[in-house]
Amino acid sequence: MPPAAPVQYLPATGVFSATWLLVLFPLIGAAVLLLGGRYTNKWGPYLGVLTPCLSFVFALFLWMAMIGRSGDSREISSTLWTWIPVNGFHVDVGYLIDPLSMTFVLLITGVGGLIHIYSLGYMAHDERIRLFFGYMNLFVASMLILVLANDYLVLYVGWEGVGLASYLLISFWYFKPEAATAGKKAFVMNRVGDVGLSLAIMTMFWAFGQTNFAAVFGGIGGAGSGVALALTLLLLLGACGKSGQFPLQAWLPDAMTGPTPVSALIHAATMVTAGVYLIARSATIYNASQDGRTAVLLVGAITLMIGAIIGCAYDDIKKVLAYSTVSQIGYMVLATGLGTAGYALGIAHLLSHGFFKSTMFLSAGSVMEGMEDTTDMRRFGALTKAMSVTHITFLCGYLAIIGIPPFSGFWTKDAIIEAAWDKGGTSGTLLAITGIVGAGFTAFYMTRLMSMTFWSKSRWRETFRPHDAPKVMLVPMGILAAGALCVGGILVIGRLLQNWLVPSVGEYTEGVRAVNPWLMSTITLIVVLFGVAGGVQGFVRRPVPTTAPVPVSPLVMAARHDLYDNAFNEAVLMRPGQWATRVLVFFDNRGVDGLVNGLAAFIGGTSGALRKLQTGFVRSYAVGILGGAVVALGALLLLRAA
Amino acid sequence: MNDFGWLTVLLLVPLVGGVGVLLLPRDHPLFAKRAALGVSLVELVLAIITCASFTQGQPGFQFVQKYSWISDFGISYQVGADGISLVLIALSAVMVPVVILGSWHDADKIEATGRRSVPAFFALILLLEAGMVGVFAATDLFLFYVLFELILIPMYFLIGSFGGPQRQYAAVKFLLYSLFGGLIMLAAVIGLYVLSTQQFPTGTFDYTALLNLNITPGVEKLLFWGFFLAFAIKAPLVPFHTWLPDAGAEAPAGSAALLVGVLDKIGTFGLIRYCIPLFPEASRYFAPLVLVLAVIGILYGALLAMGQRDMKRFVAYTSIAHFGFIALGTFALTSQGGTGAVLYMVNHGLSTGALFLVVGFLVARRGSKDPAAFGGWSKITPLLSGCFLFIGLSSLALPGMSTFVSEFLVLVGTFTRYKVAAILATIGIILAALYILLVYQRTMQGPLSQGVLGALRRRGSGRAQPVAEPDDAGNLRIRDLTGREAWVLAPLMGLILVLGIYPKPVIDTIRPTVDATLQQIHQRDPAPTYPVAPVANVAQPGGGP
């Protein structure tokens, strides 16, 4: 069989040959801040803010340059240096910049940059603020490596770098035991996903002899459907770990113990978007396996429901937002599972989610700042006046996520539901219904959040003196809120994003079962309004108790306990693991070691002598060596004589 | 330059230096320490020159020297370096000065009892270095065996005389295991000699000559086991591993770093240098068995590491998991696996050596090896904590660090031939994350431990400042990383990072030798199942076996 032809990318020319600068800026920032020590305390945070902003400005230049090129010459790839050359296994460090990675670069550096600016205010009183910015820069740099790599193994470097940065930031307040545990949990669960990605890379090398995008995408067509299925499932496992998808979602809510800007960065601009990126980037592979796409659809649908249900039960404002991320990423994953009809829509929702989720997290941070770091919504209420700006920005995010026209979520989420319906068949119907029901839940829990925080009666009495955050925090919040309102519409109306992404994820295709989009949207909107009404009815009209009601239905109980996911993990993985470890330690000390010691004692005929032996033993050892040498020489002499 | 006997020089410098330091008067300990450090630094410079004059891409031995020793039996002093032994010699030369600096005060306390001397401690380390260079450089089997055994003596004394409370037991156990393995190997070495007397005009122990022996399958399997057992004990592989946690826990931290970081590599080095080329059929025959042991070792070592209440034992068990990876890559019999395994030896030496040293720094401060005695130390020792995390991450093979390159090469090299083994071994990366982060959390995160008051600031400019100071109630104040300790860890951390980003020079040194080894045993890399033509604007992959 002649070798298949790899996909062709254009070599980098002009401004694109400096693409690596995008990564270099934040990387230098991280290095200076982490190695510079206290000498950089004074100006360190400003450097930390500057580097992602520099990358953003440069990204804008690149974007302009890319728009200036024709559609078929927008995929640019170059090699920087040879990394691992072992015969057939030859990995170069290089980059691929195309519409997909360009889009992510803009999101990461743009939204990420704003979050950095916000952090200047939010972390101003933390004595380790320099370190914080060092880790944040590392986060941005890793994410940029992830989206700019042109080889799966290089992507893996960014992939784990993101995991490391999230570990460092989630457990930034390491002295809190729950923060340390949450960071560890995030890293370990991510590693479960990493096993999937590593095995996928190994499978690529086994199948194609190379691991770079060009070769893998070129070869997948000629490979058997088994290879494609294996790759899709393994990559999906990786995506589940990084994006907090079922069954690896448990780390994401726990990660809320980190500082709030970190949550915004993880949820909006980096980290959890990586899984969606991986699937969209591997579109060629997913196109080759119907079963693989079905698995993606299932994971997305299950996760979006899990997140939406649990989101209704929590009283912690950040945990509600965390589960809403789980759920929203579920929508994106579901979209990518639809294949060419969905990749671009998934990315569109990812972008509008990037804006509205960062808006809401930063606003939640502003609320916390005014309420002395309280996150329990049962202690909030009536903050509309006291935090008027925060209320407005939060409201923008709220309207965007529940999908009230004409705000972002309406365009991007409805497009996914519609595409699911268009898929046709029973599965299409079920997926669309799941999406609509999820939207209703979303409207309910977000309304509940807004009511408990802003609209219901005050439950903070005289304990707190709520106030808006300083300007350095409010300005980024305002910019992001503006984005939350309009980004979705701009992207989806006129298929702007779908057309832009064609070189990366392929031609956008309509589903087989066309439906009037306005009908679909109307149905969704009605369900959403029901959800809103439920939230208003339950948490504005009725007084909110300061402690959670105890006798509740089993479903609420289950939702409060994360649908028993953590309990399951503990019972099935953690406890047996600890038990096995203890048994093995005992076995190793008594069994293996005991057997050998016993054998030695038996052979030596001196039971227990081993433990009592003193330095005098060296002499016997010397005798042993001498004896051995004599025997050896004797044997040699005998041979010689023979 | 290749004709010059660099290897003999590298062997003699620490040998002569070691004897010299041993003879120094014991009432000037600082002078002895400085002399030992000086010798090891000279050795390092010479090793760098040696590496620079090594011609890359040539599979055979370089810097070859041969002098007849016991001519009646064809025994000679014969040394030479190929890519594999060169990088391991370089590893020894890097580790020894670092360990000497890291063990600066290790012998002081024992010396105060009057029974042991500081110069002896540092002399032993230098003698150990001479032995290690010799073992890696020897190309005569008898010479190899003699050095293999001789090297036990300095290590025995380092553990038995300068170690922890259980040092006698640990030292004897170390010795018995190694001695047992060594004697079995001796039998096999003699066996090879006997065969050479039958097949060649004169009997010989010359490695390159012995490669041409014709061995009947039954005998080959027997001789394979003679070598394999010795190396499996040395490396060690499960189930021959139980001496290592004791030795690692009782040896002074620096010596443990040398023991696990470099000395144990003799075992894994032996597998790829002697077992496979000398007994190709038997190696292929037993490869699945070794792979099973390797995978068990990876998972078993990791699980046991999690259960340890002693940080030095913990590091020892992580190493058992790592040795599993090395054995896996070696016996996958692919060029990626083999190259990865040898690279793994180097990286594991750097990473685990550093881990032992940093644990040693912690133990020196707290006076306890139990992680439960620590807690929240990031607050009082941020630098030490950062180094601990960095080195821990290198141990769990984080991409971007050198350990990742070798671990992934091992896995990918195994995967192309033995999928199940590779998949099971990959699960080990989850366990590695767990055991490292668990220990880090227990020691460095959470609330500050009982009995520890806070940070001890450096006062004045005096040289000998304590790293921990108890107050009247016995509560400790702890000092962050000292300048000396920073000098110990920084080179290792730097190398881990640089070799993670640009490992090509080391890979290019190792690969030709691994290729040659595989060619010798007629083993080819599996071809890709659905090949794709090389990408046009990406550098072309080189040819392989």
Side-chain angles (χ1 to χ4, degrees):
Chain A
M1 189 169 61
V7 171
Q8 291 296 324
Y9 297 127
L10 291 177
T13 49
V15 67
F16 289 102
S17 39
T19 304
W20 45 272
L21 278 177
L22 288 171
V23 180
L24 193 69
F25 290 131
L27 209 54
I28 287 177
V32 170
L33 291 174
L34 296 179
L35 294 176
R38 59 178 187 276
Y39 305 105
T40 59
N41 272 351
K42 208 177 245 172
W43 44 268
Y46 299 103
L47 177 74
V49 172
L50 181 69
T51 54
C53 294
L54 277 177
S55 288
F56 179 65
V57 172
F58 186 55
L60 287 177
F61 270 111
L62 291 176
W63 188 34
M64 293 302 156
M66 189 176 277
I67 290 175
R69 288 172 165 233
S70 65
D72 53 0
S73 57
R74 284 180 184 166
E75 294 177 287
I76 299 143
S77 178
S78 258
T79 299
L80 293 173
W81 72 86
T82 296
W83 186 27
I84 310 181
V86 183
N87 299 331
F89 188 77
H90 185 104
V91 179
D92 290 326
V93 175
Y95 54 86
L96 165 69
I97 185 155
D98 68 345
L100 182 64
S101 41
M102 193 70 244
T103 310
F104 269 84
V105 167
L106 287 169
L107 174 76
I108 295 160
T109 55
V111 175
L114 287 169
I115 296 172
H116 274 73
I117 296 172
Y118 173 94
S119 306
L120 268 185
Y122 192 87
M123 299 298 286
H125 305 298
D126 197 299
E127 57 178 0
R128 295 190 305 145
I129 181 170
R130 168 183 61 81
L131 210 57
F132 180 81
F133 275 101
Y135 294 159
M136 293 281 274
N137 275 352
L138 183 66
F139 213 145
V140 170
S142 304
M143 193 67 195
L144 289 171
I145 293 175
L146 198 163
V147 298
L148 285 170
N150 67 354
D151 187 295
Y152 277 98
L153 200 65
V154 181
L155 179 147
Y156 190 52
V157 174
W159 188 263
E160 283 242 321
V162 166
L164 168 68
S166 69
Y167 166 78
L168 293 169
L169 284 165
I170 292 167
S171 53
F172 184 72
W173 290 319
Y174 60 86
F175 38 84
K176 294 198 252 177
E178 69 274 17
T181 306
K184 185 184 66 192
K185 185 173 180 179
F187 194 89
V188 172
M189 290 195 95
N190 265 291
R191 272 239 151 172
V192 177
D194 294 349
V195 168
L197 183 54
S198 333
L199 288 174
I201 299 172
M202 290 176 220
T203 310
M204 288 167 191
F205 174 65
W206 165 79
F208 312 121
Q210 295 173 67
T211 58
N212 59 65
F213 293 160
V216 173
F217 301 155
I220 190 75
S225 61
V227 174
L229 179 61
L231 283 179
T232 51
L233 295 182
L234 290 169
L235 290 172
L236 177 63
L237 178 61
C240 285
K242 200 75 23 187
S243 289
Q245 296 295 289
F246 177 79
L248 298 175
Q249 78 280 19
W251 67 269
L252 195 53
D254 287 20
M256 291 298 108
T257 48
T260 307
V262 175
S263 311
L265 195 63
I266 289 180
H267 289 239
T270 61
M271 192 85 180
V272 298
T273 58
V276 182
Y277 171 80
L278 183 69
I279 298 178
R281 172 56 77 201
S282 312
T284 322
I285 303 175
Y286 280 90
N287 289 341
S289 175
Q290 175 64 54
D291 295 337
R293 289 203 301 281
T294 307
V296 176
L297 285 172
L298 267 177
V299 166
I302 292 173
T303 314
L304 92 82
M305 282 315 289
I306 288 180
I309 291 173
I310 302 177
C312 300
Y314 268 100
D315 293 331
D316 181 312
I317 187 168
K318 284 180 74 182
K319 290 235 168 168
V320 175
L321 289 177
Y323 272 110
S324 94
T325 302
V326 171
S327 171
Q328 296 299 314
I329 306 272
Y331 277 100
M332 299 170 209
V333 169
L334 190 154
T336 54
L338 295 170
T340 42
Y343 297 124
L345 298 178
I347 302 298
H349 195 53
L350 189 150
L351 292 172
S352 67
H353 175 260
F355 280 93
F356 64 66
K357 189 51 63 66
S358 57
T359 306
M360 289 194 288
F361 263 119
L362 296 189
S363 305
S366 169
V367 171
M368 286 164 61
E369 167 120 331
M371 305 295 277
E372 291 173 17
D373 282 340
T374 311
T375 54
D376 183 3
M377 297 191 294
R378 294 190 179 275
R379 308 289 305 278
F380 295 166
L383 292 176
T384 317
K385 254 189 219 142
M387 302 187 182
S388 52
V389 181
T390 306
H391 175 238
I392 291 171
T393 55
F394 218 134
L395 196 63
C396 295
Y398 164 74
L399 293 172
I401 190 177
I402 65 173
I404 298 292
F407 305 120
S408 283
F410 169 75
W411 301 102
T412 53
K413 194 197 288 178
D414 280 19
I416 292 173
I417 294 171
E418 192 194 315
W421 175 269
D422 291 352
K423 179 179 182 287
T426 325
S427 62
T429 313
L430 283 175
L431 289 170
I433 290 176
T434 312
I436 292 171
V437 172
F441 272 101
T442 309
F444 172 76
Y445 69 71
M446 283 312 300
T447 309
R448 177 176 175 269
L449 182 149
M450 289 301 285
S451 306
M452 288 175 84
T453 307
F454 292 104
W455 305 333
S456 56
K457 293 214 172 61
S458 157
R459 295 175 301 282
W460 37 273
R461 296 185 201 90
E462 299 309 313
T463 35
F464 301 125
R465 307 174 66 84
H467 55 84
D468 259 326
K471 279 215 183 63
V472 66
M473 291 163 66
L474 291 183
V475 171
M477 281 160 60
I479 299 173
L480 289 169
L485 291 182
C486 55
V487 161
I490 295 173
L491 291 176
V492 179
I493 302 174
R495 294 197 177 165
L496 200 65
L497 188 75
Q498 285 99 314
N499 293 334
W500 165 249
L501 287 179
V502 164
S504 303
V505 299
E507 201 71 45
Y508 176 69
T509 54
E510 294 269 2
V512 291
R513 182 166 60 183
V515 64
N516 183 343
W518 293 110
L519 176 68
M520 208 68 197
S521 293
T522 312
I523 297 173
T524 310
L525 194 58
I526 290 170
V527 175
V528 164
L529 289 176
F530 267 108
V532 172
V536 171
Q537 175 66 26
F539 300 92
V540 182
R541 297 272 179 83
R542 269 188 274 167
V544 180
T546 48
T547 50
V550 174
V552 287
S553 68
L555 181 66
V556 176
M557 208 60 206
R560 278 186 192 167
H561 289 95
D562 310 282
L563 299 180
Y564 302 111
D565 177 49
N566 281 319
F568 177 84
N569 285 344
E570 194 177 311
V572 176
L573 296 173
M574 207 179 97
R575 295 278 165 228
Q578 285 174 340
W579 184 79
T581 303
R582 266 180 226 136
V583 169
L584 284 180
V585 169
F586 182 83
F587 170 72
D588 201 59
N589 288 341
R590 298 293 150 77
V592 182
D593 201 21
L595 187 73
V596 177
N597 280 353
L599 201 67
F602 175 73
I603 292 170
T606 51
S607 173
L610 194 61
R611 277 168 203 279
K612 292 180 203 147
L613 284 169
Q614 299 298 315
T615 38
F617 189 79
V618 174
R619 263 169 259 137
S620 20
Y621 172 63
V623 172
I625 286 195
L626 194 66
V630 168
V631 171
L633 285 175
L636 290 173
L637 285 171
L638 275 176
L639 283 165
R640 198 72 183 163
Chain B
M1 287 284 265
N2 278 5
D3 307 332
F4 189 73
W6 283 113
L7 297 171
T8 307
V9 174
L10 287 175
L11 190 87
L12 285 177
V13 166
L15 186 67
V16 174
V19 173
V21 171
L22 191 65
L23 297 175
L24 287 175
R26 52 192 291 185
D27 46 351
H28 288 101
L30 189 62
F31 181 68
K33 291 174 184 178
R34 285 180 179 164
L37 184 63
V39 171
S40 68
L41 286 174
V42 169
E43 174 84 350
L44 176 61
V45 171
L46 291 171
I48 292 171
I49 297 174
T50 309
C51 290
S53 30
F54 185 83
T55 315
Q56 274 188 352
Q58 281 184 7
F61 288 110
Q62 301 182 29
F63 316 117
V64 176
Q65 278 187 309
K66 184 172 181 175
Y67 301 103
S68 185
W69 179 17
I70 309 175
S71 51
D72 278 353
F73 302 117
I75 298 171
S76 53
Y77 168 86
Q78 190 177 347
V79 290
D82 57 10
I84 299 176
S85 44
L86 185 79
V87 295
L88 290 171
I89 290 170
L91 173 69
S92 324
V94 168
M95 289 304 290
V96 168
V98 165
V99 162
I100 288 178
L101 196 61
S103 318
W104 209 245
H105 299 302
D106 278 10
D108 294 359
K109 222 179 255 171
I110 296 250
E111 205 268 344
T113 64
R115 294 183 56 206
R116 314 267 178 254
S117 85
V118 171
F121 178 80
F122 290 95
L124 285 171
I125 293 182
L126 288 177
L127 294 176
L128 196 62
E129 181 173 25
M132 291 185 299
V133 170
V135 165
F136 293 132
T139 52
D140 180 279
L141 246 64
F142 196 82
L143 180 67
F144 173 76
Y145 167 73
V146 168
L147 290 167
F148 184 90
E149 293 284 34
L150 275 181
I151 208 170
L152 299 177
I153 295 169
M155 198 67 226
Y156 171 83
F157 282 110
L158 280 173
I159 301 173
S161 301
F162 297 92
Q166 291 279 311
R167 56 180 182 265
Q168 302 287 352
Y169 170 69
V172 170
K173 197 169 176 182
F174 160 74
L175 204 58
L176 276 185
Y177 269 78
S178 300
L179 177 65
F180 178 69
L183 285 176
I184 295 180
M185 185 171 77
L186 177 63
V189 168
I190 293 173
L192 282 175
Y193 172 77
V194 173
L195 287 172
S196 77
T197 55
Q198 291 163 356
Q199 298 184 13
F200 301 148
T202 55
T204 180
F205 285 95
D206 182 346
Y207 168 74
T208 26
L210 291 175
L211 286 176
N212 301 320
L213 280 178
N214 270 322
I215 317 179
T216 53
V219 176
E220 189 186 333
K221 279 175 194 163
L222 219 58
L223 293 176
F224 171 86
W225 276 101
F227 278 82
F228 179 76
L229 272 179
F231 298 140
I233 291 173
K234 195 92 197 167
L237 301 180
V238 173
F240 311 108
H241 64 279
T242 53
W243 65 270
L244 185 68
D246 286 316
E250 297 305 323
S255 312
L258 273 188
L259 171 68
V260 181
V262 189
L263 205 62
D264 285 353
K265 299 300 178 313
I266 297 169
T268 51
F269 165 78
L271 290 178
I272 196 160
R273 161 64 73 78
Y274 294 105
C275 272
I276 292 178
L278 284 172
F279 317 111
E281 289 310 318
S283 296
R284 265 200 291 268
Y285 182 80
F286 289 117
L289 178 72
V290 182
L291 293 177
V292 168
L293 288 184
V295 169
I296 291 176
I298 290 169
L299 301 176
Y300 186 77
L303 283 171
L304 276 160
M306 263 181 261
Q308 297 307 313
R309 300 223 132 274
D310 173 325
M311 283 196 283
K312 282 162 88 182
R313 288 183 79 87
F314 158 77
V315 181
Y317 274 107
T318 67
S319 294
I320 290 167
H322 291 145
F323 287 128
F325 274 105
I326 299 177
L328 189 72
T330 308
F331 276 85
L333 301 179
T334 59
S335 66
Q336 288 86 26
T339 308
V342 178
L343 192 60
Y344 208 120
M345 296 180 208
V346 177
N347 291 331
H348 177 260
L350 300 173
S351 157
T352 300
L355 197 54
F356 260 121
L357 288 165
V358 80
V359 163
F361 296 160
L362 290 174
V363 174
R365 283 163 168 74
R366 190 67 179 97
S368 167
K369 293 186 281 185
D370 186 354
F374 296 79
W377 277 33
S378 282
K379 192 166 190 62
I380 49 175
T381 60
L383 285 177
L384 190 54
S385 161
C387 292
F388 188 29
L389 183 63
F390 182 98
I391 294 161
L393 291 171
S394 79
S395 182
L396 62 79
L398 189 83
M401 296 191 178
S402 61
T403 41
F404 170 73
V405 177
S406 42
E407 191 167 295
F408 198 82
L409 276 174
V410 164
L411 287 172
V412 87
T414 309
F415 189 86
T416 49
R417 193 161 280 153
Y418 303 98
K419 291 207 178 38
V420 177
I423 291 168
L424 289 174
T426 308
I427 291 171
I429 72 170
I430 304 173
L431 300 177
L434 255 177
Y435 63 63
I436 290 291
L437 295 185
L438 262 174
V439 166
Y440 183 74
Q441 183 183 5
R442 282 182 192 151
T443 51
M444 296 299 165
Q445 299 176 318
L448 198 57
S449 51
Q450 292 281 312
V452 174
L453 279 176
L456 177 67
R457 306 266 172 240
R458 185 187 168 88
R459 280 179 312 245
S461 58
R463 275 189 174 277
Q465 298 219 354
V467 285
E469 206 171 70
D471 69 354
D472 299 337
N475 291 321
L476 288 174
R477 286 196 173 278
I478 306 289
R479 204 167 139 210
D480 202 357
L481 201 70
T482 66
R484 174 181 64 85
E485 290 166 337
W487 275 105
V488 172
L489 298 181
L492 297 179
M493 288 161 64
L495 275 174
I496 287 170
L497 204 57
V498 169
L499 292 181
I501 296 165
Y502 194 62
K504 189 170 177 291
V506 185
I507 289 178
D508 286 346
T509 307
I510 297 169
R511 186 187 49 78
T513 309
V514 172
D515 284 349
T517 304
L518 292 177
Q519 247 159 20
Q520 241 155 26
I521 68 167
H522 309 293
Q523 197 79 10
R524 288 169 155 274
D525 286 348
T529 320
Y530 308 98
V532 180
V535 179
N537 59 351
V538 172
Q540 301 290 319

